[in-house]
């Protein structure tokens, strides 16, 4: 396999600049220019589950980081302990417990506000006689969070204090960096502003929503540009939304390569060059069916290329385009649609991990993610 990686790197160097070689009867002898990839549309993904568009009716359940207000009306001892109003603002700790008045830690993790009130009241009865009714309210939600990153006005981590749609979340995060495309939609829905930033724009075709490690098949272009609210799903805790920049001229090389990740495109870049820049292949790589995925996340196109044939001079190298996803598998594919969807999920997880790490720390290093695509 070291020999294979060396051959791959050598081939990339030999093919560097192929796009600059003139063609025609007067052209000097040399390697032919790289070929354009022949890609085929992937069958439509499973449509959005209608339940994702329904407003959640489940009561809010407490978790670490939530802040609740506890009030015992009419009890002088308790009110004196929490002047001036007698209302205690208590944060649910990392252990899921709250510490209030004389009580030991009360576990409220996973309880509704009503259940938490009943549990706290039961414990207070051991310390206070003739206990009047108590009230428990949610002061701030800290346990239910979503990530909204990329080309939005204020990227970051946001709390879900109540039912929140994707469009709501984008508006709350300052809107897209290019707000003109959805300004009319925002106005029609009564949203004050989805934001605007000159000089940059969001690539809606590559935007995605990850839930439980998989891409939710939301078509951001239909939602934002066409006002199609059948794409306006309700978010759930730990959802990850990412909107890339249209100016991000990068290709992504994933799977069985030494350094999975992205490569900046400076001029032309071929398939073999991109694999070589990712450190070459690793043991077990299956080079006869390397995939190139292009187009939007919701409607990708895929082409299968034999890198083995390219390295042995049996086929031309393939010219890549910005945004392409190259995937080097460990085994032959079975169903091309399933193959493409697994690649898109891998791409989204890779970008999500790296962008999330950078949101937490400016010193975070990139992470490469690869999965084995089996038949």
């Amino acid at each position: 396999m070291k020999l294979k990686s060396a051959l791959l790197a050598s081939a990339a160097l030999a093919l560097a600049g192929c796009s600059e070689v003139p063609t025609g009867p007067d052209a000097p002898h040399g390697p032919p220019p790289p070929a354009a990839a022949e890609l085929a549309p992937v069958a439509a993904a499973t449509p959005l589950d209608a339940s994702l568009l329904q407003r959640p009716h489940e009561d809010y359940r407490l978790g670490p980081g939530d802040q609740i207000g506890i009030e015992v009306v009419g009890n002088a001892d308790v009110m004196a302990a929490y002047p001036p109003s007698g209302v205690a603002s208590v944060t649910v700790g990392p252990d899921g417990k709250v510490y209030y008045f004389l009580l030991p830690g009360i576990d409220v993790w996973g309880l509704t506000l009503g259940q938490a009130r009943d549990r706290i009241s039961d414990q207070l009865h051991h310390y206070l006689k003739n206990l009047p009714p108590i009230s428990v309210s949610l002061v701030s939600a800290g346990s239910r969070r979503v990530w909204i990153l990329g080309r939005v006005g204020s990227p970051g981590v946001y709390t879900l204090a109540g039912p929140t749609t994707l469009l709501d979340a984008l508006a709350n995060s300052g809107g897209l960096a290019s707000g003109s495309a959805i300004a009319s939609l925002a106005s029609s829905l009564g949203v004050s502003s989805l934001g605007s930033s000159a000089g940059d724009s969001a690539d809606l075709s590559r935007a995605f929503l990850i839930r439980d490690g998989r891409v939710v098949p939301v078509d951001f272009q239909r939602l934002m540009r066409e006002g199609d609210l059948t794409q306006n799903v309700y978010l759930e805790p730990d959802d990850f939304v990412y909107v890339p920049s249209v100016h991000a001229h990068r290709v992504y090389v994933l799977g069985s390569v030494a350094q999975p990740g992205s490569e900046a495109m400076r001029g032309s870049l071929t398939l073999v060059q991109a694999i070589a820049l990712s450190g070459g292949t690793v043991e077990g790589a299956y080079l006869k069916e390397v995939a190139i995925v292009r187009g939007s996340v919701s409607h990708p196109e895929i082409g299968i290329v034999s890198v083995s044939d390219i390295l042995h001079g049996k086929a031309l190298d393939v010219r890549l385009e910005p945004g392409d996803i190259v995937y080097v598998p460990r085994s032959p594919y079975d169903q091309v649609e399933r193959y493409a969807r697994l690649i898109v999920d891998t791409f989204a997880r890779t970008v999500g991990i790296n962008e999330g790490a950078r949101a937490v720390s400016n010193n975070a290093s990139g992470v490469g993610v690869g999965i084995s695509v089996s038949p």
Side-chain angles (χ1 to χ4, degrees), residues 313-344:
K314 297 179 181 180
L316 294 177
D317 198 3
V318 175
R319 184 173 59 251
L320 299 178
E321 295 182 4
D324 280 354
I325 306 169
V326 174
Y327 193 90
V328 181
R330 289 185 176 272
S331 60
Y333 71 92
D334 182 18
Q335 296 180 342
V336 69
E337 289 83 6
R338 176 174 174 269
Y339 192 21
R341 294 298 169 192
L342 286 171
I343 293 169
V344 168

Side-chain angles (χ1 to χ4, degrees), residues 113-129:
L113 290 173
Q115 291 170 337
R117 178 199 62 220
D118 293 341
R119 182 167 293 185
I120 293 170
S121 179
D122 288 342
Q123 294 298 317
L124 280 175
H125 276 293
H126 297 298
Y127 298 90
L128 301 173
K129 295 182 178 180

Side-chain angles (χ1 to χ4, degrees), residues 176 178-186 194-195 202 204 223-227:
L176 302 181
S178 177
S180 59
I182 51 176
S184 59
L185 174 61
L194 289 179
L204 295 178
L223 173 62
M224 302 301 185
R225 300 198 188 282
E226 302 173 21

Side-chain angles (χ1 to χ4, degrees), residues 1 8 39 41 91 175 194 211 237 358:
M1 281 302 148
L8 198 54
L39 284 75
T91 299
L194 289 179
R211 178 174 297 166
R358 278 191 281 269

Side-chain angles (χ1 to χ4, degrees), residues 109-189:
W109 196 339
L111 301 184
T112 66
L113 290 173
Q115 291 170 337
R117 178 199 62 220
D118 293 341
R119 182 167 293 185
I120 293 170
S121 179
D122 288 342
Q123 294 298 317
L124 280 175
H125 276 293
H126 297 298
Y127 298 90
L128 301 173
K129 295 182 178 180
N130 302 318
L131 179 68
I134 72 171
S135 66
V136 174
S137 60
L138 182 66
V139 177
S140 64
S143 64
R144 298 162 63 94
R145 298 179 290 270
V146 294
W147 300 70
I148 311 293
L149 298 181
R151 307 313 302 167
V152 293
S154 299
V157 184
Y158 291 83
T159 58
L160 285 179
T164 303
T165 66
L166 176 56
L167 198 60
D168 290 335
L170 289 171
N172 292 338
S173 64
L176 302 181
S178 177
S180 59
I182 51 176
S184 59
L185 174 61
S187 176
S188 67
L189 294 176

Side-chain angles (χ1 to χ4, degrees), residues 31-159:
E38 296 183 2
L39 284 75
V42 176
T46 303
L48 278 173
D49 187 332
S51 65
L52 301 180
L53 302 171
Q54 301 299 316
R55 181 183 178 89
H57 296 294
E58 181 178 297
D59 292 332
Y60 189 91
R61 294 188 177 274
L62 298 171
D66 286 335
Q67 190 174 28
I68 59 176
I70 306 174
E71 181 178 13
V72 180
V73 181
N75 187 285
D77 292 334
V78 177
M79 296 186 69
Y82 300 99
S85 63
V87 179
S89 183
V90 183
T91 299
V92 182
D95 57 357
K97 295 180 179 181
V98 293
Y99 296 85
Y100 170 72
F101 195 51
L102 301 175
L103 302 180
I106 304 300
D107 188 1
V108 297
W109 196 339
L111 301 184
T112 66
L113 290 173
Q115 291 170 337
R117 178 199 62 220
D118 293 341
R119 182 167 293 185
I120 293 170
S121 179
D122 288 342
Q123 294 298 317
L124 280 175
H125 276 293
H126 297 298
Y127 298 90
L128 301 173
K129 295 182 178 180
N130 302 318
L131 179 68
I134 72 171
S135 66
V136 174
S137 60
L138 182 66
V139 177
S140 64
S143 64
R144 298 162 63 94
R145 298 179 290 270
V146 294
W147 300 70
I148 311 293
L149 298 181
R151 307 313 302 167
V152 293
S154 299
V157 184
Y158 291 83
T159 58

